[in-house]
């Protein structure tokens, strides 16, 4: 069933688990995510970024995701990932997203607040919750390009002020996490996360979770992370499976046969993450 992310994240916060938020670009990834959630009886978010919308079209990809959500036996929210502008958030609301992020984290504090306030006013008017970000998450993703060295972690006091001033429903934090593949072993700053948790009442979000060791993910969930974003590990499963299949079956031309094993591989990734996040059986 199609639901708002607010109810999912508040339940996660109350019961100490995290809901997985998985990025889709097409029908196959969407099927893999939904099948995993159904197999694990887990609530879930399907996320669509500005880049995914550019690739697949605002008239198509959100419709595929919404249709899949409405038919699913588990609660599914459709979320705009890293909303780069007020305009795109408005378009997302119009086509039925049930959750949006306005990412103005590259802007100075006051401008970030102002951008989020605008979106909160409009989105809340139609009952849609808003995720925002303070601090700068490392790595490169879509329009977000921040070198890992320059990346600025979230300051707990600033985070509290930001949530209060912007009225956002969920807060994405920068605690040593980065988008894409990690160069070395990531080391999340758990003291910082605990300090943010102390001061910020809304559910916290961890971006760039692909490649973070399981033990650190468990600790992050224990310290208040309620939504965990995964994209790269799904892409990796897709690409490696298609590559291997084509190497073994170089004459195959049927897209269904080529993509079938990739769907299964992506489903397996999502199922494993659902178990790790503690959201299995929470639907
Ligand atoms: O917003 C999406 C994510 O933060 C995904 O990060 O590609 O490192 O898994 P990832
Ligand atoms: Zn992200």
């Amino acid at each position: 069933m199609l639901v708002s992310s607010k109810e999912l994240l508040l339940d996660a916060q109350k019961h100490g688990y995290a809901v997985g938020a998985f990025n889709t670009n097409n029908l196959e990834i969407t099927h893999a995510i939904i099948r995993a959630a159904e197999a694990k009886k887990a609530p879930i978010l399907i996320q669509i970024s500005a880049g995914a919308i550019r690739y697949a079209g605002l008239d198509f990809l959100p419709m595929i995701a919404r249709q899949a959500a409405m038919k699913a036996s588990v609660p599914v929210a459709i979320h705009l990932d890293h909303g780069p502008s007020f305009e795109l958030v408005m378009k997302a609301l119009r086509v039925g997203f049930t959750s949006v992020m306005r990412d103005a984290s590259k802007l100075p504090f006051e401008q970030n607040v102002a951008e989020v306030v605008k979106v909160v006013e409009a989105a809340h008017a139609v009952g849609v919750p808003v995720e925002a970000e303070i601090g700068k998450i490392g790595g490169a993703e879509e329009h977000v390009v921040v070198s890992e060295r320059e990346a600025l972690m979230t300051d707990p006091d600033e985070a509290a002020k930001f949530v209060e001033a912007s009225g956002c429903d969920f807060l994405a934090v920068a605690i040593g996490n980065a988008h894409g593949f990690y160069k070395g072993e990531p080391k999340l700053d758990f003291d910082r996360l605990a300090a943010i948790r102390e001061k910020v009442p809304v559910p916290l979000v961890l971006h760039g979770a692909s490649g973070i060791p399981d033990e650190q993910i468990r600790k992050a969930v224990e310290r208040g992370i309620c939504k965990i974003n995964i994209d790269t590990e799904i892409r990796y499963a897709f690409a490696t499976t298609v590559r291997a299949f084509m190497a073994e079956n170089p004459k195959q031309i049927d897209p269904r046969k080529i993509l079938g094993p990739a769907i299964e591989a992506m489903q397996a990734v999502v199922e494993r993450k659902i178990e790790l996040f503690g959201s299995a059986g929470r639907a």
Side-chain angles (χ1 to χ4, degrees):
M1 65 224 67
L2 179 64
V3 300
S4 157
S5 62
K6 183 115 179 180
E7 58 194 80
L8 302 188
L9 295 207
L10 290 183
D11 190 74
Q13 189 179 40
K14 191 165 156 200
H15 295 108
Y17 65 95
V19 183
F22 300 93
N23 287 75
T24 189
N25 301 145
N26 62 16
L27 179 71
E28 285 74 18
I29 304 173
T30 308
H31 275 325
I33 297 167
I34 294 277
R35 285 176 196 169
E38 289 185 327
K40 291 290 170 188
K41 298 193 176 15
I44 207 158
L45 281 87
I46 298 185
Q47 321 196 109
I48 300 175
S49 68
I53 289 171
R54 269 198 305 280
Y55 166 72
L58 186 66
D59 297 329
F60 295 98
L61 188 57
M63 297 306 129
I64 289 172
R66 265 179 68 89
Q67 187 64 19
M70 285 188 293
K71 295 200 72 171
S73 60
V74 293
V76 182
I78 308 297
H79 178 79
L80 176 68
D81 191 26
H82 290 289
S85 65
F86 178 76
E87 288 71 18
L88 191 65
V89 174
M90 293 306 103
K91 286 178 181 165
L93 294 179
R94 203 177 57 189
V95 299
F97 280 71
T98 60
S99 182
V100 293
M101 178 181 189
R102 174 69 183 99
D103 181 1
S105 60
K106 277 187 300 184
L107 300 176
F109 182 89
E110 292 301 341
Q111 279 168 264
N112 189 357
V113 169
E115 285 298 321
V116 176
V117 163
K118 264 203 299 189
V119 161
V120 163
E121 198 178 351
H124 284 185
V126 290
V128 173
V130 178
E131 175 183 338
E133 176 178 326
I134 185 87
K136 293 185 180 65
I137 293 166
E141 182 189 83
E142 312 296 355
H143 72 293
V144 186
V145 180
V146 188
S147 91
E148 266 153 271
R149 258 177 299 116
E150 281 171 347
L152 291 171
M153 293 201 193
T154 304
D155 175 80
D157 291 312
E158 206 175 61
K161 270 191 235 145
F162 179 80
V163 169
E164 171 84 35
S166 69
C168 68
D169 300 273
F170 323 124
L171 185 70
V173 293
I175 53 168
N177 43 320
H179 289 117
F181 290 116
Y182 285 87
K183 287 179 190 105
E185 159 136 347
K187 282 200 174 45
L188 298 185
D189 184 342
F190 292 109
D191 292 341
R192 182 180 297 273
L193 177 58
I196 297 168
R197 168 74 293 159
E198 280 271 290
K199 297 183 177 190
V200 172
V202 301
L204 302 177
V205 180
L206 185 68
H207 282 248
S210 292
I212 296 179
D214 289 1
E215 208 31 60
Q216 292 194 47
I217 292 286
R218 277 189 208 103
K219 268 188 165 179
V221 174
E222 273 165 27
R223 285 163 181 73
I225 292 290
C226 302
K227 170 176 179 274
I228 302 184
N229 291 10
I230 298 278
D231 186 7
T232 298
E233 284 192 46
I234 296 177
R235 293 177 177 195
Y236 183 79
F238 177 86
T240 51
T241 308
V242 169
R243 213 174 282 139
F245 181 87
M246 290 311 291
E248 274 172 39
N249 305 275
K251 294 215 163 69
Q252 183 57 256
I253 61 155
D254 185 337
R256 296 165 298 185
K257 298 227 163 71
I258 296 168
L259 296 175
I263 297 176
E264 284 169 24
M266 293 188 288
Q267 180 180 341
V269 169
V270 176
E271 287 191 19
R272 212 183 71 70
K273 296 297 179 188
I274 287 171
E275 288 286 349
L276 175 63
F277 302 164
S279 58
R282 302 281 186 174

